[in-house]
Amino acid sequence: MKRRTQIALFLLLTTIVGTTFYAQSMLSGKKNQSKATVDSILKKNNSAEKEINLADTLVQYQGKFKPYKKGAHASYYADKFNGRRTASGKRYDKNKLTAAHKSFPFGTKVRVTNEANGKSVVVEVIDRGPFVRGREIDLSRKAFYTIASSSGMGYIKVTLEVLQK
């Protein structure tokens, strides 16, 4: 039992150190911050009479989101496209917040809000599509299920807002 406790404590500490290092590297400007400012928030977790600092990062976009379209239909990419190159040359990753749109320039940030539950996510356009009549935007799997109200949904009605610089 003591061995399990030691392993759990080791994993917890390595996670904390890694998260803190990541937040510090984001704040020091090692990542591309031309469009976003990264803030770090330290949270205290009181468990087993010990204070543990956890770093959490928030992204604040500089500029305003201009309404583009209400009542748009959004779907998500099929998993078979994961790892393939997109029209912009980047590889599609179903675990990132990306999207495909027919006309937005590559790199455009779009806030997609589910009209049914009010949840929203900001995605970057990296591909062309969707090529289904009536669909406005294709979201990555992670982006889609971040705003979807249930996992059985295939498409949802959303509001699109474009980040103006």
Side-chain angles (χ1 to χ4, degrees), residues 1 9 14 34 42 44 53 86-87 94 102-106 114 129 153-154 159:
M1 189 71 163
L9 185 59
T14 54
S34 61
L42 294 178
K44 292 186 178 180
N53 291 327
T86 62
K94 67 181 181 180
K102 295 174 189 169
S103 60
F104 288 150
F106 296 133
N114 186 345
M153 303 176 84
T159 300

Short mmCIF file of all heavy atoms in Angstrom, two decimals, residues 1 9 14 34 42 44 53 86-87 94 102-106 114 129 153-154 159:
data_model
loop_
_atom_site.label_atom_id
_atom_site.label_comp_id
_atom_site.label_asym_id
_atom_site.label_seq_id
_atom_site.Cartn_x
_atom_site.Cartn_y
_atom_site.Cartn_z
N MET A 1 0.82 -1.19 0.00
CA MET A 1 0.00 0.00 0.00
C MET A 1 0.86 1.26 0.00
O MET A 1 0.53 2.23 -0.64
CB MET A 1 -0.92 -0.05 1.23
CG MET A 1 -1.96 1.00 1.23
SD MET A 1 -3.15 0.62 -0.05
CE MET A 1 -4.46 1.64 0.44
N LEU A 9 1.80 9.82 -5.55
CA LEU A 9 2.39 11.11 -5.22
C LEU A 9 3.39 11.56 -6.28
O LEU A 9 3.41 12.71 -6.68
CB LEU A 9 3.06 11.05 -3.84
CG LEU A 9 3.61 12.36 -3.30
CD1 LEU A 9 2.50 13.39 -3.17
CD2 LEU A 9 4.28 12.15 -1.97
N THR A 14 4.79 15.18 -10.75
CA THR A 14 5.30 15.38 -12.12
C THR A 14 4.27 16.10 -12.97
O THR A 14 4.62 16.91 -13.82
CB THR A 14 5.67 14.04 -12.78
OG1 THR A 14 4.55 13.16 -12.72
CG2 THR A 14 6.88 13.42 -12.11
N SER A 34 0.99 36.21 -31.22
CA SER A 34 0.63 37.39 -31.97
C SER A 34 -0.86 37.69 -31.89
O SER A 34 -1.27 38.83 -31.95
CB SER A 34 1.05 37.23 -33.43
OG SER A 34 0.38 36.14 -34.00
N LEU A 42 -3.31 30.49 -10.71
CA LEU A 42 -2.92 29.46 -9.77
C LEU A 42 -4.10 29.12 -8.89
O LEU A 42 -4.73 29.99 -8.31
CB LEU A 42 -1.73 29.92 -8.92
CG LEU A 42 -0.43 30.14 -9.69
CD1 LEU A 42 0.64 30.65 -8.75
CD2 LEU A 42 0.02 28.85 -10.33
N LYS A 44 -5.51 26.62 -5.68
CA LYS A 44 -5.05 25.85 -4.54
C LYS A 44 -6.01 24.70 -4.33
O LYS A 44 -7.22 24.86 -4.30
CB LYS A 44 -4.97 26.73 -3.29
CG LYS A 44 -3.88 27.77 -3.40
CD LYS A 44 -3.72 28.52 -2.13
CE LYS A 44 -2.59 29.52 -2.29
NZ LYS A 44 -2.38 30.30 -1.09
N ASN A 53 -0.33 23.75 -5.72
CA ASN A 53 -0.62 24.78 -6.71
C ASN A 53 -0.76 24.14 -8.08
O ASN A 53 0.13 23.44 -8.54
CB ASN A 53 0.49 25.83 -6.74
CG ASN A 53 0.50 26.66 -5.49
OD1 ASN A 53 -0.55 26.91 -4.91
ND2 ASN A 53 1.67 27.08 -5.05
N THR A 86 -4.31 18.79 -44.72
CA THR A 86 -5.47 19.59 -45.08
C THR A 86 -5.10 20.50 -46.25
O THR A 86 -3.97 20.51 -46.71
CB THR A 86 -5.94 20.44 -43.89
OG1 THR A 86 -4.88 21.33 -43.53
CG2 THR A 86 -6.31 19.57 -42.71
N ALA A 87 -6.05 21.30 -46.71
CA ALA A 87 -5.81 22.20 -47.83
C ALA A 87 -4.77 23.26 -47.48
O ALA A 87 -4.09 23.78 -48.36
CB ALA A 87 -7.11 22.87 -48.26
N LYS A 94 -7.80 15.33 -34.80
CA LYS A 94 -9.15 15.36 -34.25
C LYS A 94 -9.19 15.86 -32.81
O LYS A 94 -10.24 16.19 -32.29
CB LYS A 94 -9.81 13.98 -34.35
CG LYS A 94 -9.16 12.92 -33.47
CD LYS A 94 -9.85 11.60 -33.66
CE LYS A 94 -9.22 10.53 -32.76
NZ LYS A 94 -9.87 9.26 -32.93
N LYS A 102 -15.69 26.90 -46.24
CA LYS A 102 -15.55 27.05 -47.69
C LYS A 102 -14.85 28.32 -48.10
O LYS A 102 -14.12 28.33 -49.09
CB LYS A 102 -16.93 27.00 -48.35
CG LYS A 102 -17.62 25.67 -48.21
CD LYS A 102 -19.03 25.73 -48.75
CE LYS A 102 -19.78 24.47 -48.40
NZ LYS A 102 -21.19 24.58 -48.68
N SER A 103 -15.04 29.42 -47.36
CA SER A 103 -14.51 30.70 -47.84
C SER A 103 -13.61 31.46 -46.88
O SER A 103 -12.92 32.37 -47.31
CB SER A 103 -15.68 31.61 -48.24
OG SER A 103 -16.51 31.84 -47.12
N PHE A 104 -13.59 31.16 -45.60
CA PHE A 104 -12.73 31.90 -44.68
C PHE A 104 -11.27 31.64 -45.00
O PHE A 104 -10.89 30.51 -45.33
CB PHE A 104 -12.99 31.49 -43.23
CG PHE A 104 -14.29 31.97 -42.66
CD1 PHE A 104 -14.93 31.24 -41.68
CD2 PHE A 104 -14.86 33.16 -43.07
CE1 PHE A 104 -16.12 31.68 -41.14
CE2 PHE A 104 -16.06 33.61 -42.54
CZ PHE A 104 -16.69 32.86 -41.57
N PRO A 105 -10.42 32.66 -44.90
CA PRO A 105 -8.97 32.44 -45.11
C PRO A 105 -8.41 31.50 -44.04
O PRO A 105 -8.91 31.46 -42.91
CB PRO A 105 -8.37 33.84 -44.97
CG PRO A 105 -9.50 34.79 -45.10
CD PRO A 105 -10.73 34.07 -44.67
N PHE A 106 -7.36 30.77 -44.40
CA PHE A 106 -6.71 29.88 -43.44
C PHE A 106 -6.17 30.71 -42.28
O PHE A 106 -5.64 31.80 -42.48
CB PHE A 106 -5.59 29.09 -44.09
CG PHE A 106 -6.06 28.14 -45.16
CD1 PHE A 106 -5.43 28.09 -46.38
CD2 PHE A 106 -7.15 27.32 -44.95
CE1 PHE A 106 -5.85 27.23 -47.37
CE2 PHE A 106 -7.59 26.45 -45.93
CZ PHE A 106 -6.94 26.41 -47.15
N ASN A 114 -23.13 26.90 -29.83
CA ASN A 114 -24.29 26.03 -29.98
C ASN A 114 -25.52 26.81 -29.54
O ASN A 114 -25.59 27.31 -28.43
CB ASN A 114 -24.10 24.78 -29.11
CG ASN A 114 -25.20 23.76 -29.31
OD1 ASN A 114 -26.25 24.05 -29.86
ND2 ASN A 114 -24.95 22.54 -28.85
N GLY A 129 -14.13 23.09 -46.92
CA GLY A 129 -15.26 22.19 -46.74
C GLY A 129 -16.28 22.87 -45.87
O GLY A 129 -16.13 24.04 -45.56
N MET A 153 -25.03 13.19 -31.33
CA MET A 153 -25.37 14.17 -32.35
C MET A 153 -24.37 14.12 -33.50
O MET A 153 -23.19 13.89 -33.29
CB MET A 153 -25.39 15.57 -31.75
CG MET A 153 -26.34 15.71 -30.58
SD MET A 153 -26.25 17.31 -29.84
CE MET A 153 -27.36 18.21 -30.91
N GLY A 154 -24.82 14.37 -34.71
CA GLY A 154 -23.94 14.40 -35.87
C GLY A 154 -23.77 15.79 -36.44
O GLY A 154 -22.78 16.10 -37.06
N THR A 159 -24.13 29.48 -34.10
CA THR A 159 -23.91 30.85 -34.50
C THR A 159 -22.43 31.03 -34.73
O THR A 159 -21.62 30.61 -33.89
CB THR A 159 -24.39 31.83 -33.40
OG1 THR A 159 -25.79 31.61 -33.19
CG2 THR A 159 -24.14 33.26 -33.80
#
